[in-house]
């Protein structure tokens, strides 16, 4: 039977969202009167959506402007994380010596919060004066986001079937050819899983990083509204951050599947 | 035709004991074989007897503990493009098409050729294995038999001095197996390169080979007997299956392998083997006194 209505992927998720709205509405009407209702939130924040590219002042801009600033920052940090993470992951997967040297260190650094990395970044980049905080933000994003890429790449390298390496051996491929023609394509699916997770973390970290830098972006906007005691924009920001994160994940998911080599 | 083109002398493969103490675990204990140029050898024995170990050493993917192997006068150390290998699982790179998989081999084997020549060369071998219509398909789109055809094309396209086949049809159903035996034999008849093939299928061993080399059971495996196969080439399976000589040969091989089996795993009742209406008299293999 042909489905007349996209029940599974449209109607039911909408039911879920409607439930959340209802709880939100209920709470704001009863025990948390300071939190605006969904409608009041929309009334207060629609200016950011209806004029998405407006720039009234540094910290009073349209939603797409803020999102763009944040995305550019995330892109830079993510790019650096990939650039450092992939070779590190290859070394970790290929060399037992490297693994023994650095595995413990990585396990210790991995759970450190972005809020802890940021001050270190600020100290590291003091020579850049007014740009110091921006670099500190990038540093924080990179350091926090690279681990999934490092670990997934390493797992992928270790999972390369011996068969493929035997082909490389009997065909006398050079070390570089083996890396480029055999290992890299074999590890690619694992790497993309790492990239997807890394991008997710980078987007998670951006809010914290921007709160601390104050440079324009979705995180600093949220922080400013928080300091000013405006609750509607905070809820609005949470929704925007969530939606953008979701879209990024979907995009990476498509790219990941595109690169499925096995 | 050069005699002793491939020469395996005193090949020993052993591993240190797992516990670190005691005797070394000897897998292959003194394997000597001399193969003429253009000769097709099949290596047969029970599973785990070390026949694949010997082949992997020939391929350079494993190293012998002792012994010297020469091919066309050169001592073999490590892998080389003078040997083409067909693995049991075809070992194709799944992100490359059939054509690209063969090209990888041609690019390595014929680096001096022009691009167009290399492409033609790869296409020629893909056609020889009957894949001219599937050259741009990836392994996932090919059947197991077609994948092994690519594996065969890849090995032959190197035009190696020595062709090594590690139970190449072991994973195929019997119809595909018979088909591919013919494909392999047809190309081999054209190219006539020296070949060593590991198998545990007795009919296959006879059908393909000029000589069948039987290995004793491991550990400490060595050559138990070498049986020449007298049938003229090109061979036809049908004619072979009608000749008494084929069955006599078959009995001899089965007898040898069964004897080993009982030797190592004595059972109260011998397993009845449906394929062998054996009359014990036919088991005349001289067992060369090598059995433990």
């Amino acid at each position: 039977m042909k489905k007349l209505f996209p029940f599974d992927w449209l109607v039911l998720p909408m039911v879920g969202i409607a439930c959340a709205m209802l709880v939100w509405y209920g709470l704001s009407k009863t025990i948390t009167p300071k939190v605006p209702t969904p409608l009041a939130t929309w009334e207060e924040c629609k200016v950011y959506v209806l004029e998405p590219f407006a720039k009234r002042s540094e910290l009073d801009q349209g939603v797409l402007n803020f999102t763009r600033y944040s995305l550019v920052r995330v892109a830079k940090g993510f790019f650096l994380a990939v650039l450092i993470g992939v070779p590190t992951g290859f070394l970790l997967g290929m060399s037992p010596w490297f693994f023994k040297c650095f595995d413990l260190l990585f396990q210790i650094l991995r759970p450190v919060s972005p809020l802890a990395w940021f001050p270190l970044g600020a100290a590291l980049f003091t020579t850049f004066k007014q740009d110091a905080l921006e670099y500190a933000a990038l540093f924080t994003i990179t350091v926090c986001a690279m681990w999934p890429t490092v670990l997934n790449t390493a797992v992928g390298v270790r999972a390369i079937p011996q068969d493929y390496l035997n082909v490389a051996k009997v065909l006398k491929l050079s070390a570089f050819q083996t890396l480029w023609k055999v290992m890299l394509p074999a590890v690619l699916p694992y790497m993309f899983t790492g990239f997807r997770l890394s991008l997710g973390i980078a987007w998670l970290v951006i809010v914290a990083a921007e709160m601390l830098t104050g440079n324009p972006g979705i995180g600093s906007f949220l922080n400013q509204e928080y300091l000013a005691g405006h609750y509607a924009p905070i809820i609005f920001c949470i929704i925007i951050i969530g939606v953008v994160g979701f879209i990024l994940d979907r995009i990476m998911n498509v790219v990941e599947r595109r690169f499925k080599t096995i | 035709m050069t005699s002793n083109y491939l020469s395996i002398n005193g090949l020993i493969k052993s591993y240190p004991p797992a516990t670190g103490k005691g005797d070394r675990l000897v897998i292959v204990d003194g394997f000597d074989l001399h193969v003429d140029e253009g000769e097709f050898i099949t290596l047969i024995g029970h599973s785990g007897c070390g026949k694949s170990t010997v082949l992997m050493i020939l391929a350079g993917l494993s190293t012998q503990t002792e012994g010297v192997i020469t091919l066309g006068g050169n001592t073999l150390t490590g892998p080389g493009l003078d040997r083409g290998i067909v693995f049991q699982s075809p070992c194709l790179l799944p992100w490359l098409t059939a054509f690209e998989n063969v090209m990888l081999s041609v690019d390595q084997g014929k680096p001096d050729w022009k691009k167009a020549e290399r492409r033609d060369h790869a296409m020629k071998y893909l056609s020889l294995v009957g894949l001219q219509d599937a050259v741009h398909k990836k392994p996932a789109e090919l059947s197991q038999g077609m994948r092994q055809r690519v594996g065969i094309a890849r090995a032959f396209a190197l035009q190696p001095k020595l062709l090594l086949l590690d139970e190449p049809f072991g994973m195929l159903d019997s119809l595909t197996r018979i088909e591919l035996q013919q494909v392999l034999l047809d190309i081999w008849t054209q190219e006539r390169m020296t070949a060593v093939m590991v198998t545990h299928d007795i009919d296959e061993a006879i059908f393909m080979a000029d000589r069948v080399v039987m290995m004793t059971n491991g550990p400490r495996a060595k050559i138990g007997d070498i049986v020449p196969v007298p049938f003229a080439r090109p061979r036809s399976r049908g004619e072979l299956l009608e000749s008494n000589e084929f069955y006599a040969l078959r009995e001899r091989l089965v007898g040898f392998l069964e004897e080993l089996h009982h030797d190592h795993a004595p059972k109260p009742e011998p397993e009845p083997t449906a394929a062998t209406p054996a009359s014990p008299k036919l088991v005349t293999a001289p067992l060369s006194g090598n059995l433990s």
Side-chain angles (χ1 to χ4, degrees):
Chain A
M1 197 186 88
K2 201 185 157 202
K3 270 191 184 162
L4 294 173
F5 210 65
F7 195 69
D8 281 1
W9 61 269
L10 193 68
V11 177
L12 291 182
M14 284 304 141
V15 169
I17 289 171
C19 284
M21 294 280 214
L22 216 66
V23 172
W24 175 9
Y25 181 81
L27 284 174
S28 64
K29 280 289 178 197
T30 55
I31 51 177
T32 58
K34 271 192 145 181
V35 175
T37 62
L39 200 67
T41 304
W42 168 249
E43 280 300 323
E44 202 175 330
C45 298
K46 67 179 178 191
V47 58
Y48 301 114
V49 179
L50 298 178
E51 294 172 47
F53 293 106
K55 183 170 179 176
R56 291 170 288 271
S57 75
E58 276 300 301
L59 285 172
D60 184 10
Q61 305 190 26
V63 62
L64 288 183
N65 262 4
F66 275 141
T67 308
R68 197 188 71 223
Y69 293 134
S70 296
L71 280 176
V72 167
R73 209 166 277 134
V74 161
K76 285 181 191 164
F78 172 69
F79 180 71
L80 279 173
V82 167
L83 213 63
I84 299 168
V86 170
T88 312
F90 261 90
L91 284 173
L92 211 56
M94 280 162 68
S95 157
W97 285 101
F98 189 90
F99 179 82
K100 282 175 194 157
C101 285
F102 291 102
D103 183 54
L104 177 69
L105 178 71
F106 291 169
Q107 299 295 345
I108 290 170
L109 295 182
R110 202 158 58 93
V112 175
S113 155
L115 296 170
W117 284 116
F118 185 84
L120 176 66
L124 283 173
F125 297 104
T126 38
T127 45
F128 291 96
K129 305 239 163 46
Q130 72 270 31
D131 289 335
L133 291 181
E134 188 60 32
Y135 283 113
L138 287 183
F139 167 78
T140 307
I141 295 168
T142 305
V143 169
C144 291
M146 69 183 206
W147 303 116
T149 296
V150 171
L151 297 179
N152 275 283
T153 306
V155 168
V157 169
R158 270 187 233 113
I160 299 174
Q162 189 59 41
D163 282 359
Y164 302 170
L165 298 176
N166 281 347
V167 170
K169 274 189 204 161
V170 300
L171 291 181
K172 291 290 234 177
L173 297 184
S174 67
F176 177 76
Q177 283 174 314
T178 304
L179 190 69
W180 186 249
K181 292 187 172 178
V182 179
M183 297 178 77
L184 199 65
V187 180
L188 218 53
Y190 291 85
M191 276 163 50
F192 271 95
T193 303
F195 293 168
R196 186 157 70 95
L197 297 171
S198 283
L199 188 61
I201 290 185
W203 185 245
L204 206 67
V205 168
I206 190 75
V207 178
E210 284 178 353
M211 275 183 167
L212 295 168
T213 59
N215 291 347
I218 195 95
S220 50
F221 175 61
L222 191 153
N223 194 38
Q224 172 203 250
E225 298 301 314
Y226 167 63
L227 296 175
H230 296 156
Y231 292 101
I234 294 176
I235 297 172
F236 173 70
C237 280
I238 289 173
I239 295 169
I240 294 300
I241 291 166
V243 169
V244 172
F246 171 75
I247 293 169
L248 287 179
D249 195 64
R250 287 289 99 183
I251 293 171
M252 284 308 280
N253 195 26
V254 169
V255 177
E256 192 184 344
R257 261 185 288 167
R258 169 75 187 74
F259 279 93
K260 266 262 176 286
T261 49
I262 300 161
Chain B
M1 235 182 237
T2 323
S3 59
N4 292 351
Y5 187 66
L6 168 67
S7 201
I8 307 170
N9 298 298
L11 195 73
I12 294 175
K13 176 73 180 178
S14 66
Y15 292 97
T19 51
K21 278 180 265 179
D23 295 329
R24 289 174 72 86
L25 180 63
V26 183
I27 307 295
V28 179
D29 188 13
F31 186 100
D32 293 274
L33 183 65
H34 302 279
V35 182
D36 293 342
E37 190 176 5
E39 199 179 6
F40 200 123
I41 296 288
T42 50
L43 206 54
I44 193 166
H46 285 291
S47 52
C49 76
K51 51 195 194 300
S52 279
T53 306
V54 171
L55 201 82
M56 285 301 112
I57 293 171
L58 288 175
L61 288 173
S62 178
T63 48
Q64 65 267 40
T65 314
E66 275 174 53
V68 177
I69 303 166
T70 57
L71 175 64
N74 304 314
T75 304
L76 294 185
T77 47
L81 294 163
D82 51 353
R83 280 151 284 159
I85 298 144
V86 183
F87 297 94
Q88 179 172 18
S89 66
C91 286
L92 305 178
L93 301 180
W95 53 87
L96 299 180
T97 62
F99 172 73
E100 288 166 335
N101 266 292
V102 177
M103 267 310 265
L104 191 66
S105 161
V106 180
D107 285 343
Q108 287 300 107
K110 315 284 176 193
D112 307 330
W113 291 11
K114 288 196 192 100
K115 182 93 183 165
E117 288 175 314
R118 278 180 278 155
R119 294 180 68 91
D120 292 347
H121 190 71
M123 288 304 280
K124 177 186 149 194
Y125 282 92
L126 281 162
S127 309
L128 281 176
V129 295
L131 281 182
Q132 58 278 7
D133 298 327
V135 288
H136 296 302
K137 287 195 173 154
K138 297 218 170 134
E141 303 166 80
L142 301 173
S143 68
Q144 191 70 14
M146 288 165 101
R147 283 179 216 161
Q148 195 53 286
R149 284 172 195 254
V150 180
I152 292 169
R154 179 173 65 183
F156 273 99
L158 271 178
Q159 297 183 315
K161 289 179 184 169
L162 176 62
L163 188 68
L164 298 167
L165 305 124
D166 187 14
E167 297 190 30
F169 311 130
M171 289 166 81
L172 305 177
D173 63 86
S174 51
L175 285 178
T176 316
R177 170 187 286 243
I178 287 169
E179 213 175 288
L180 282 203
Q181 285 169 356
Q182 196 61 54
V183 167
L184 180 68
L185 221 44
D186 287 347
I187 309 179
W188 179 81
T189 310
Q190 285 181 32
E191 312 265 326
R192 275 286 168 165
M193 54 193 60
T194 314
V196 177
M197 172 170 167
V198 163
T199 177
H200 52 229
D201 180 326
I202 291 169
D203 292 353
E204 182 173 285
I206 299 170
F207 183 53
M208 308 294 285
D210 294 312
R211 283 191 293 162
V212 179
V213 173
M214 291 183 279
M215 281 181 78
T216 64
N217 280 359
R220 297 193 170 274
K222 52 180 77 177
I223 293 177
D225 196 11
I226 301 176
V227 181
V229 180
F231 307 113
R233 293 184 193 271
R235 292 173 186 166
S236 114
R237 177 176 300 275
E239 278 172 37
L240 227 61
L241 290 176
E242 278 167 25
S243 80
N244 289 328
E245 224 176 341
F246 173 79
Y247 288 100
L249 213 57
R250 198 168 183 277
E251 289 309 328
R252 189 172 161 186
L253 297 184
V254 171
F256 176 86
L257 292 171
E258 282 209 316
E259 193 133 339
L260 281 179
H261 192 66
H262 299 318
D263 240 23
H264 280 256
K267 283 176 188 164
E269 272 179 62
E271 278 179 290
T273 316
T276 53
S279 67
K281 275 178 218 158
L282 277 169
V283 184
T284 52
L287 295 181
S288 7
N290 278 339
L291 296 171
S292 49

